[in-house]
Amino acid sequence: EITFSDYADGSIKEVMLWKDKDPSAHNWTPYFQYVIGTLEGNTNDSVVVEREEDLRGKLKYFFQGDLLKPEILNLPLDFSPPLFDIISCNFCLEVVAKSIDHYRKLLTKLTNLLKPGGFLCSLVSIEESWYMNNSAQQYGLLYLTTNDVDSAYKSVGLSVLQTAHQNVPAKAQNIFNDCKANYFIATQKNIN
């Protein structure tokens, strides 16, 4: 079972539309084709269809999430808070954290939602101090280095399993942000 959570209601609704095969939903098939065909080397189109159907079948729960609230997930009263095997958190903490200490506190809240031995996988903006949305509103971000991220994750009881650093080419830096790199970090919650 997969629980999908996002701060933005629009993101949740979009995934629900895709799950329900609504014709107005975003077409994720090219992404599946890239992963299955390019990364995995399987060019059988039926595998793409099977994977999409498999994922649709596993998406069970949809909740709004807000890291700044005492309870991150907006759960119905009759729904006991679950512990998760895997949490994926992408371009999130650096947007809401006000300091590196606040970043660690938010990271602790996420880690507390993991089962012992569970995995937290994140994409993090590196050396980014601001971004602009489609409405031309500019927002500040917590400026982080890869060392800041590694240190924070380790400090909250996560073991770093794998990282990948991808610089953003200067020509790709634009009027919407000043991000210098994207950083993938896969971690596992310590069992003890």
Side-chain angles (χ1 to χ4, degrees):
E1 292 183 348
I2 296 174
T3 299
F4 181 84
S5 177
D6 198 292
Y7 177 76
D9 283 333
S11 297
I12 295 169
K13 289 175 184 169
E14 187 60 41
V15 173
M16 291 174 79
L17 288 172
W18 176 81
K19 176 184 171 32
D20 295 337
K21 297 184 181 179
D22 189 292
S24 68
H26 179 77
N27 179 11
W28 290 99
T29 301
Y31 300 90
F32 280 84
Q33 290 169 331
Y34 174 76
V35 169
I36 294 164
T38 304
L39 300 181
E40 296 177 4
N42 189 335
T43 57
N44 185 340
D45 288 336
S46 67
V47 174
V48 172
V49 173
E50 289 169 14
R51 289 270 186 91
E52 285 188 277
E53 289 308 306
D54 186 46
L55 182 56
R56 282 186 176 102
K58 290 180 179 177
L59 282 164
K60 298 290 184 197
Y61 305 106
F62 298 86
F63 301 116
Q64 184 183 34
D66 188 341
L67 285 165
L68 298 178
K69 291 187 176 178
E71 296 297 324
I72 295 173
L73 297 176
N74 185 14
L75 302 174
L77 293 176
D78 61 343
F79 197 92
S80 60
L83 289 178
F84 297 100
D85 296 307
I86 301 170
I87 294 175
S88 174
C89 181
N90 302 310
F91 306 116
C92 178
L93 296 175
E94 64 271 29
V95 175
V96 295
K98 304 301 180 202
S99 67
I100 194 65
D101 287 336
H102 190 215
Y103 186 87
R104 284 187 180 101
K105 287 178 185 170
L106 297 174
L107 193 53
T108 297
K109 288 174 74 172
L110 274 181
T111 303
N112 288 341
L113 291 175
L114 281 173
K115 292 178 181 176
F119 300 93
L120 175 59
C121 300
S122 301
L123 280 169
V124 182
S125 297
I126 298 298
E127 298 180 25
E128 182 176 17
S129 61
W130 62 271
Y131 76 96
M132 191 179 300
N133 68 11
N134 292 338
S135 302
Q137 292 176 300
Q138 188 170 324
Y139 299 92
L141 275 82
L142 179 62
Y143 185 92
L144 296 168
T145 66
T146 54
N147 288 338
D148 293 331
V149 176
D150 289 345
S151 173
Y153 278 65
K154 290 173 185 174
S155 75
V156 300
L158 296 165
S159 297
V160 177
L161 304 175
Q162 184 177 357
T163 63
H165 185 277
Q166 181 181 23
N167 289 326
V168 175
K171 65 181 179 183
Q173 296 173 21
N174 56 49
I175 62 169
F176 292 105
N177 66 61
D178 66 344
C179 181
K180 302 296 183 285
N182 293 316
Y183 189 57
F184 170 77
I185 183 167
T187 61
Q188 185 172 26
K189 184 176 181 177
N190 297 333
I191 294 176
N192 42 345

